[in-house]
Amino acid sequence: MLDFMESVQNAFYEASHWNLDNSYGALNATARALLDFQTPKGLRLQISSLAAPNFATSYTLGNVGVVDGSVSYLYSSLPLHRKLKSAELDLHHVVRGYRHLQELRRPDEEWWSEIWHNGKRIDQKDTLLYGRIFLPQSRLEALYLRRVTPTRQLRVSAVSDSALNNGGTILTLLQNDTGKYSTEYMYSTDSALMGLRGLYNFGADPRVTPTNPITTTPSTSEIVHGRFSAGAELYYGLLNKSGGISTGLRFTTLPDHTGFPYTMTLTLNPLMGNLSSTYAVKAGRNLALCSRFDFNFYSYESELQLGCELWRRRRSTGVEWAVKKMHSDRERATDAPDDDVSGILKARVDQAWRIGLLWEGRIKELMFTIGASLDLRKREQVFRAVGVELQYSS
Amino acid sequence: MAFNFNWSPLIADTSRARDMLTTALNKSPKPPIIVDDIIVTELNLGSTPPELEILEIGDLAEDRFRGIFKMSYTGDAFLTLKTKVQANPLNTYLSSKPDFASPMPLAASSGLTIPLQITLSDIRLSGFVILVFSKQKGITLVFRNDPLESLKVSSTFDTIPFVRDYLQKVIEEQLRVLFMDDLPAIIHRLSLRLFVPEFQELETETEERLDGSNDTTVPIDPLLTPPQDAIDSFGNPIDVSQITALSLDPASEMHASFSKSNILRLAALSESQRTLSLFTPGIQEVVFRAWANNPDQSNSGTATPALTQSSLSRIQSTFGSNRSHASSVASGSTGQETYSSRPTVVSNYSAPAGLSLGANRGTRGQMRKRKKRVVDLRKSKDSAESPGVPTEPSTPRANTSASDTTSSIPEEREMEDLVTTPTSASDSYYRVEGSHPTMNAAGPSRLMEQTASADVLLPAAPLLADAPKLSRPKPKAPAATAAAVPIRLHEPEMEERQRSHSSRPPLSRNRLRPTQQATSPLLRSLSFDKVTSLSATHSKLPTSPSYAESTSSSSGGILEQAWMMKMANEIALKVQQEKGRGVSRGRSEDVSSSSSAKNLSSSAPSRGMWMSSEEEDAPPPAYVA
């Protein structure tokens, strides 16, 4: 389940029309959500609040180690209006699962955001500031996010911790997203790592389609059922003179697709000989399945992982069907979409019989996450980690 | 002076050293580049021994040695390691970085593990070595300085100069750590396996269980020569400051801390004595009191018969010194004195062995006097039987559980003298108790103690327990306190009796502390608390008033009395039930408890009667031991 502050950041992205999915880093986001989810460890409590549309606070308390916790604050120059109270937030926003990609949207025009007053531009760039301090480790995380232009975003994240080399690290990330393609340039102070990422979407360019007059008779052939994307990344550390490279392909179905939505990715690391393919399918409204196969053609090591996500809904009681029938769809529109969700089960297993289980949901106004990671190979200690996370936000 | 330095047996079998090295290498957290266990595949100590130059010899005896050497080694030893490394630099680089500011590469950080084989050879060492050898504690070897001068690292990646240099650098660093920290521990454990067979057994057991990861041996300053896993007799780990304090007094040093393996063994022994189990663990390097027959012991009435054996147990002398200031406290001191006067003939290494074997020693210690006492015993027993003590069908059980298999043999030989009593263990108690007139004064108090013991049915709590516990009867029986001073003159008898009471429940442990700390570090470390906790048989009795209270203030006497009364009542109740069951079940088993308990049950309601009637005939002790 997403951290409250991550939800707030996502709300900022949404409000500022930034497409998180259109990045090479999010190429296999679906597979990662279904296979690489983190299981909580120990007990963790989080109380958070979006006190004002521009300001959020969050406090966590955990028992990893002895007692630890964190305090975080967030400021956004853009008012955020997404429902973030734990009683009424949309579970799809906080539970990472199958990412059903939408049609690319055309970037905003520059002048949309311009506000003129007395002949002067008074509008400001959207900015997000976020800070979090972990106690008692005294680790500080900071984030600065700025929408420079509608197609460009600057993201600076920093960690200060005496345990790290040089006392901390700063990562600067400049992202461009034109819809058709996206590029990212990054620099990390840690060993002076430089990086470059790019993603190209095949198919129609969203920037040009609106210029075409909408045809009165849309031919069925023009309807796009899926999207094919290709990308690559390149890293080079100036100080340790080492680098990395990878390329990837993705095909995913779009909402217009009539059958099951599915996503396929293939990534290749030519330097290390690693080939990874994932296939994820949303088999129904409540079920998503995913598999991943890794193969290294230098060491002949292979790995297989399977995962699933299951939304469990409460059975409607006896009268409810009658009520539904009577009010037909009029009533249903006002209902919260996930009112009947009792919980979401995520499970993964790999060929070494390491199992991860996650049960997320909402009880009254409390969001909960219960997780366990098991290792069936180690008989004496099957449970590697068990944890409970509770979140409340107002 | 010459030393015979035999190198060849060391190089004969290195498999064990290999295993230990593997364990040691995998113990510490590995750098992220190493993704698999480090396995030592080959270890050859070479044919050239290191050169040793003796700089100083601090201590020299047949079974111990302490010295400082100058060592230089230019031999042909080599070592081959196998492991797997992560070849992707981005992977190792990112694994140690926080996620928040990580570039989060999609696949560029995917791993590639490569098997790696490293051979270390041409090792050049030179340094000062401190070597401490003791037969009980094995070899402790510590380097004064960093001994590694140079070595040659050859690996799978020798063709890549960058990797080769890196490996050379990292391995040299690791080896320095190994020489300074891990090697002393390994050598110590190896030597323990060689010299202390029990450690070996224990070691194999624990290694089976924990795969050798429970390496508790830590190299400590060898000049102090404390045991590596220093714990006191209760399993409390002794911290370093305490050890140094102990070693200021060389006499107590050896006794105050025991090998953990011995403690475990003793715990097993005392536990087996509490049940019907016939199992008696053999304890190595222990001289049982029974074996160390000393003619001096025959004169029981004299003041210090035990101290004549001081050559074997320095612990006694320590206690003996305590006696002088402890005697001001009447009955509490009696306990200590009797304890101190008890001839604990134990090898210095495992003092608790002798102590918890109290029952055995009790029987054996009396062997010499037996002829004389036999007569007394019969008399006393006959008289004791009259108040309703049944004959003793339970003696076989007492014998088997109480006496060590070896020690029982001579006893049985002596038993031929005793026609009526088939076994020795219980008889000897009777004999002792019956034979001594001084017992009278303490009689009632002892009885009360037995009530407690009968309830718990935990026999042979290690004798250590007696010292603090003896204080309990004092307030309850004023007569006994009055008689305490004269009794002290006859310590052997007292001691005998107390030995028979070894089954009494221990006092509450924590409260013992103040007094124990007041006496001496040795006594403190010998306090009873951990022995019982180790043996994991806790008394079901409520915790009795503390030793400190009972000794220092007579006001605690009321509490004591009330408690004892309560206990006696409880026991009486229990005995009733027991009797009811015993009848149906056949008495072969329960007689010992019920016989003593029967006395107690009668004693419970009317203690005054007991005080008078108990004068000459001691009731059968709870000889469940």
Side-chain angles (χ1 to χ4, degrees):
Chain A
M1 187 169 290
L2 277 185
D3 190 59
F4 176 78
M5 283 304 180
E6 288 173 286
S7 305
V8 176
Q9 284 167 38
N10 284 349
F12 175 83
Y13 287 128
E14 191 185 67
S16 64
H17 303 299
W18 182 260
N19 185 2
L20 265 183
D21 290 320
N22 201 23
S23 151
Y24 181 71
L27 191 78
N28 55 8
T30 294
R32 282 213 305 267
L34 291 173
L35 297 175
D36 296 340
F37 56 85
Q38 292 257 320
T39 55
K41 275 182 193 163
L43 182 67
R44 184 153 221 92
L45 304 170
Q46 182 172 49
I47 298 173
S48 25
S49 165
L50 186 66
N54 298 69
F55 189 71
T57 57
S58 175
Y59 308 92
T60 62
L61 196 67
N63 75 336
V64 179
V66 194
V67 174
D68 64 344
S70 70
V71 180
S72 49
Y73 296 99
L74 183 144
Y75 164 78
S76 158
S77 68
L78 196 66
L80 307 172
H81 296 293
R82 190 194 268 186
K83 285 178 184 170
L84 287 161
K85 289 184 180 168
S86 55
E88 54 195 35
L89 55 74
D90 186 354
L91 281 176
H92 286 92
H93 283 148
V94 292
V95 174
R96 270 189 266 221
Y98 184 87
R99 298 293 285 259
H100 205 171
L101 296 193
Q102 305 297 310
E103 289 279 6
L104 292 172
R105 81 192 277 287
R106 192 180 170 221
D108 295 349
E109 295 295 335
E110 285 260 13
W111 47 267
W112 285 7
S113 59
E114 291 176 9
I115 302 172
W116 294 83
H117 184 70
N118 289 345
K120 271 194 281 183
R121 257 184 85 172
I122 56 158
D123 61 293
Q124 289 186 323
K125 310 286 185 198
D126 299 333
T127 308
L128 184 142
L129 288 167
Y130 164 69
R132 181 178 194 179
I133 186 159
F134 291 85
L135 296 168
Q137 305 99 309
S138 303
R139 163 188 287 206
L140 183 73
E141 288 180 359
L143 173 72
Y144 172 77
L145 205 62
R146 189 170 174 85
R147 292 300 309 276
V148 183
T149 66
T151 59
R152 179 168 295 173
Q153 175 177 273
L154 177 70
R155 183 191 164 103
V156 180
S157 52
V159 176
S160 168
D161 189 344
S162 58
L164 296 172
N165 285 345
N166 308 320
T169 172
I170 300 173
L171 175 76
T172 311
L173 189 66
L174 184 67
Q175 298 169 295
N176 298 301
D177 177 15
T178 61
K180 178 79 175 164
Y181 61 89
S182 84
T183 54
E184 291 170 78
Y185 311 92
M186 68 182 73
Y187 176 77
S188 168
T189 57
D190 213 349
S191 75
L193 185 82
M194 300 170 79
L196 175 68
R197 288 201 283 220
L199 181 75
Y200 182 81
N201 294 309
F202 293 93
D205 191 333
R207 285 171 300 180
V208 292
T209 36
T211 58
N212 297 341
I214 295 167
T215 51
T216 47
T217 54
S219 60
T220 50
S221 63
E222 271 188 38
I223 293 175
V224 196
H225 296 289
R227 188 193 305 151
F228 188 71
S229 316
E233 65 182 343
L234 174 70
Y235 296 92
Y236 187 72
L238 290 177
L239 292 186
N240 56 15
K241 295 187 176 55
S242 62
I245 189 170
S246 83
T247 60
L249 302 171
R250 175 180 68 189
F251 180 79
T252 184
T253 58
L254 294 176
D256 282 338
H257 182 67
T258 46
F260 291 125
Y262 61 91
T263 303
M264 293 185 292
T265 67
L266 179 73
T267 55
L268 170 72
N269 183 336
L271 278 183
M272 295 298 147
N274 201 286
L275 193 66
S276 171
S277 62
T278 70
Y279 179 73
V281 60
K282 197 163 169 60
R285 181 168 160 244
N286 297 327
L287 180 66
L289 301 165
C290 184
S291 67
R292 176 164 61 195
F293 182 68
D294 285 322
F295 178 67
N296 193 307
F297 49 80
Y298 289 156
S299 65
Y300 299 123
E301 281 179 345
S302 62
E303 196 182 358
L304 176 69
Q305 275 185 306
L306 301 172
C308 79
E309 178 195 23
L310 180 67
W311 287 64
R312 193 176 158 78
R313 294 172 196 274
R314 287 185 202 93
R315 304 263 158 144
S316 48
T317 48
V319 228
E320 217 160 291
W321 65 271
V323 175
K324 268 182 192 166
K325 206 152 210 176
M326 282 170 68
H327 301 281
S328 67
D329 52 356
R330 175 165 51 97
E331 191 74 9
R332 241 193 287 167
T334 57
D335 264 351
D338 297 317
D339 231 12
D340 57 341
V341 173
S342 64
I344 299 114
L345 175 75
K346 280 196 204 175
R348 63 151 181 258
V349 62
D350 67 4
Q351 95 277 14
W353 290 106
R354 284 188 295 258
I355 293 178
L357 292 171
L358 206 62
W359 176 251
E360 299 172 306
R362 171 165 53 197
I363 302 175
K364 306 257 181 223
E365 300 193 355
L366 211 59
M367 313 292 299
F368 69 89
T369 306
I370 301 170
S373 60
L374 298 85
D375 194 338
L376 297 189
R377 285 267 177 89
K378 294 196 170 142
R379 290 282 169 199
E380 68 273 15
Q381 198 192 357
V382 169
F383 281 88
R384 310 293 291 170
V386 183
V388 178
E389 266 184 35
L390 297 173
Q391 290 187 26
Y392 174 78
S393 55
S394 63
Chain B
M1 193 191 305
F3 288 91
N4 188 7
F5 196 81
N6 202 348
W7 183 248
S8 49
L10 279 173
I11 60 174
D13 176 28
T14 56
S15 65
R16 218 174 245 165
R18 221 161 51 207
D19 293 346
M20 287 191 169
L21 211 55
T22 304
T23 312
L25 283 171
N26 291 307
K27 197 170 52 182
S28 53
K30 292 185 280 284
I33 196 167
I34 293 172
V35 292
D36 197 11
D37 283 353
I38 306 171
I39 297 160
V40 180
T41 52
E42 234 175 316
L43 172 64
N44 193 332
L45 291 177
S47 55
T48 321
E51 283 171 28
L52 287 175
E53 186 182 321
I54 300 168
L55 295 181
E56 184 190 318
I57 292 179
D59 192 2
L60 187 59
E62 209 169 284
D63 59 346
R64 61 183 191 276
F65 174 81
R66 183 163 69 204
I68 301 176
F69 296 90
K70 184 177 186 297
M71 187 194 77
S72 66
Y73 180 74
T74 53
D76 50 355
F78 67 92
L79 173 72
T80 308
L81 304 169
K82 229 200 252 177
T83 186
K84 281 181 184 168
V85 291
Q86 177 58 257
N88 191 344
L90 208 59
N91 185 301
T92 55
Y93 154 76
L94 287 174
S95 63
S96 57
K97 299 288 171 281
D99 274 354
F100 188 76
S102 147
M104 301 266 203
L106 184 78
S109 63
S110 57
L112 170 63
T113 54
I114 294 176
L116 172 70
Q117 184 162 343
I118 300 174
T119 305
L120 313 179
S121 54
D122 291 341
I123 302 166
R124 299 278 173 274
L125 303 175
S126 128
F128 293 95
V129 184
I130 300 158
L131 176 73
V132 180
F133 165 73
S134 133
K135 192 129 196 189
Q136 282 80 35
K137 292 176 220 157
I139 297 171
T140 310
L141 185 142
V142 174
F143 291 96
R144 255 281 159 80
N145 59 337
D146 179 13
L148 186 67
E149 274 192 340
S150 72
L151 87 159
K152 187 183 163 210
V153 178
S154 46
S155 73
T156 324
F157 299 119
D158 268 355
T159 47
I160 312 167
F162 162 70
V163 179
R164 191 188 58 207
D165 295 347
Y166 173 78
L167 281 175
Q168 175 91 33
K169 196 183 81 191
V170 168
I171 285 169
E172 273 185 28
E173 274 170 26
Q174 290 288 318
L175 263 189
R176 283 176 215 283
V177 175
L178 179 88
F179 274 116
M180 298 298 278
D181 296 340
D182 292 336
L183 193 66
I186 292 174
I187 286 178
H188 177 76
R189 286 178 54 176
L190 269 178
S191 67
L192 278 186
R193 281 176 179 239
L194 273 177
F195 298 118
V196 190
E198 58 189 274
F199 180 86
Q200 188 178 340
E201 290 165 26
L202 195 81
E203 186 76 1
T204 48
E205 277 171 28
T206 49
E207 264 184 14
E208 276 166 20
R209 253 187 301 126
L210 299 169
D211 202 19
S213 61
N214 63 331
D215 184 12
T216 53
T217 56
V218 207
I220 308 169
D221 184 358
L223 294 173
L224 295 173
T225 64
Q228 291 285 299
D229 48 349
I231 53 169
D232 59 19
S233 49
F234 326 109
N236 281 329
I238 297 179
D239 59 21
V240 181
S241 60
Q242 254 181 309
I243 286 174
T244 52
L246 288 171
S247 36
L248 290 178
D249 176 15
S252 66
E253 174 211 337
M254 305 288 272
H255 298 284
S257 44
F258 309 111
S259 147
K260 197 183 245 172
S261 57
N262 268 346
I263 292 287
L264 288 174
R265 235 149 233 286
L266 290 167
L269 177 72
S270 73
E271 212 160 1
S272 73
Q273 286 177 343
R274 269 155 229 228
T275 62
L276 293 175
S277 160
L278 300 183
F279 168 72
T280 307
I283 297 182
Q284 308 276 340
E285 306 273 342
V286 165
V287 181
F288 290 94
R289 159 209 284 243
W291 301 341
N293 286 339
N294 196 325
D296 285 358
Q297 264 213 318
S298 56
N299 52 353
S300 60
T302 54
T304 59
L307 291 179
T308 56
Q309 297 182 339
S310 60
S311 64
L312 277 167
S313 64
R314 273 179 279 179
I315 207 167
Q316 292 161 358
S317 59
T318 331
F319 273 96
S321 63
N322 285 336
R323 187 191 317 163
S324 57
H325 46 85
S327 58
S328 59
V329 188
S331 66
S333 64
T334 2
Q336 287 179 2
E337 285 153 30
T338 51
Y339 171 63
S340 66
S341 64
R342 213 178 305 127
T344 51
V345 185
V346 183
S347 79
N348 53 4
Y349 186 47
S350 56
L355 296 175
S356 69
L357 281 172
N360 286 340
R361 268 187 288 117
T363 64
R364 307 308 249 107
Q366 294 141 18
M367 268 171 48
R368 264 152 268 109
K369 302 177 241 177
R370 192 162 287 157
K371 288 265 157 64
K372 182 191 83 181
R373 286 182 197 162
V374 164
V375 185
D376 291 342
L377 167 73
R378 288 208 193 119
K379 271 189 232 154
S380 70
K381 203 178 64 170
D382 292 341
S383 57
E385 274 173 20
S386 57
V389 181
T391 52
E392 305 161 0
S394 64
T395 42
R397 160 181 146 209
N399 184 27
T400 47
S401 60
S403 56
D404 196 350
T405 48
T406 52
S407 67
S408 67
I409 298 163
E411 279 180 39
E412 272 157 5
R413 233 186 290 123
E414 293 220 10
M415 278 310 102
E416 291 158 14
D417 301 344
L418 311 168
V419 187
T420 53
T421 55
T423 51
S424 63
S426 57
D427 297 323
S428 57
Y429 292 135
Y430 284 88
R431 261 176 263 134
V432 176
E433 285 154 11
S435 62
H436 296 294
T438 47
M439 218 184 43
N440 303 347
S445 67
R446 184 165 46 81
L447 256 182
M448 298 312 286
E449 288 156 15
Q450 282 174 348
T451 64
S453 68
D455 180 11
V456 198
L457 272 184
L458 43 94
L463 275 176
L464 278 173
D466 292 357
K469 267 183 282 169
L470 274 177
S471 64
R472 205 194 311 137
K474 176 205 78 181
K476 172 195 49 196
T481 56
V485 181
I487 285 170
R488 238 182 15 246
L489 295 175
H490 310 276
E491 279 159 7
E493 298 99 6
M494 278 298 290
E495 152 214 342
E496 304 281 2
R497 254 185 282 126
Q498 277 139 17
R499 219 175 291 136
S500 67
H501 303 156
S502 56
S503 57
R504 248 168 292 127
L507 271 183
S508 71
R509 281 146 205 151
N510 292 333
R511 292 196 220 151
L512 288 175
R513 283 278 165 198
T515 43
Q516 283 156 358
Q517 277 165 359
T519 51
S520 76
L522 174 60
L523 183 60
R524 190 194 326 149
S525 66
L526 283 172
S527 71
F528 183 58
D529 39 7
K530 276 301 157 59
V531 169
T532 40
S533 66
L534 258 183
S535 59
T537 52
H538 302 291
S539 71
K540 300 153 208 148
L541 293 174
T543 53
S544 58
S546 74
Y547 174 45
E549 285 170 32
S550 63
T551 48
S552 57
S553 67
S554 57
S555 65
I558 299 159
L559 275 175
E560 297 266 6
Q561 219 163 332
W563 183 77
M564 288 310 295
M565 285 299 292
K566 189 167 157 259
M567 285 317 305
N569 287 331
E570 269 181 31
I571 288 150
L573 201 74
K574 229 173 207 178
V575 166
Q576 298 278 341
Q577 296 167 351
E578 195 85 355
K579 254 196 274 180
R581 265 188 291 139
V583 170
S584 61
R585 199 201 298 162
R587 0 192 354 115
S588 64
E589 224 183 15
D590 287 327
V591 182
S592 72
S593 61
S594 63
S595 64
S596 57
K598 231 179 265 175
N599 285 335
L600 302 166
S601 65
S602 58
S603 79
S606 62
R607 243 176 64 245
M609 189 199 86
W610 271 102
M611 289 175 84
S612 58
S613 69
E614 262 309 307
E615 307 267 63
E616 50 276 335
D617 50 356
Y623 45 77
V624 242

